[in-house]
Amino acid sequence: ELVVFLNNSFLAVNNTTKALHLLSRFRAVVNNSHINKLLEEKHGSIFMSYGRDLEMIKAVYEKYKANPPCHRNTPPVSGAIAWARQLQRKIEEPMIAFQDTPELLRTRDAKRIINTYNK
């Protein structure tokens, strides 16, 4: 029953940062070894999802880097800076959280994602 609830909770989350937050909340209350193993698997799948997010953010950056979208009544330069900082925040926040689990970052797929992050 708890496993189904866990899986449904993660399916409802569509953001890497929110998924990491949900994962940390579950880890704080669950002491069952079977559930902890499931949470570790979820952590890996969140990292793979983060890799897809990196590719999406890279595509958005490449598409709009010459003419970044800005809020109305925002000067072009400050709007471009705010847009770039928003993209950077979307990239950096999850990676900071992933650095707390070095064993996750040693896998082959993780090295590819880390290379994408470093570009």
Side-chain angles (χ1 to χ4, degrees), residues 8-55:
N8 289 337
S9 297
F10 280 102
L11 286 175
V13 176
N14 60 359
N15 181 327
T16 302
T17 306
K18 289 179 183 177
L20 286 169
H21 179 69
L22 183 63
L23 182 69
S24 68
R25 292 180 75 191
F26 275 122
R27 281 190 175 151
V29 296
V30 174
N31 289 330
N32 185 334
S33 64
H34 175 69
I35 301 299
N36 282 331
K37 183 169 173 52
L38 179 65
L39 290 175
E40 289 301 320
E41 291 172 8
K42 292 293 181 191
H43 202 214
S45 66
I46 292 169
F47 191 68
M48 292 299 130
S49 173
Y50 173 68
R52 290 187 295 275
D53 289 349
L54 281 177
E55 294 296 330

Side-chain angles (χ1 to χ4, degrees), residues 69-89:
C70 298
H71 296 292
R72 188 180 341 163
N73 298 328
T74 304
V77 173
S78 63
I81 292 170
W83 175 74
R85 285 183 178 167
Q86 176 190 15
L87 292 179
Q88 183 179 14
R89 190 172 40 254

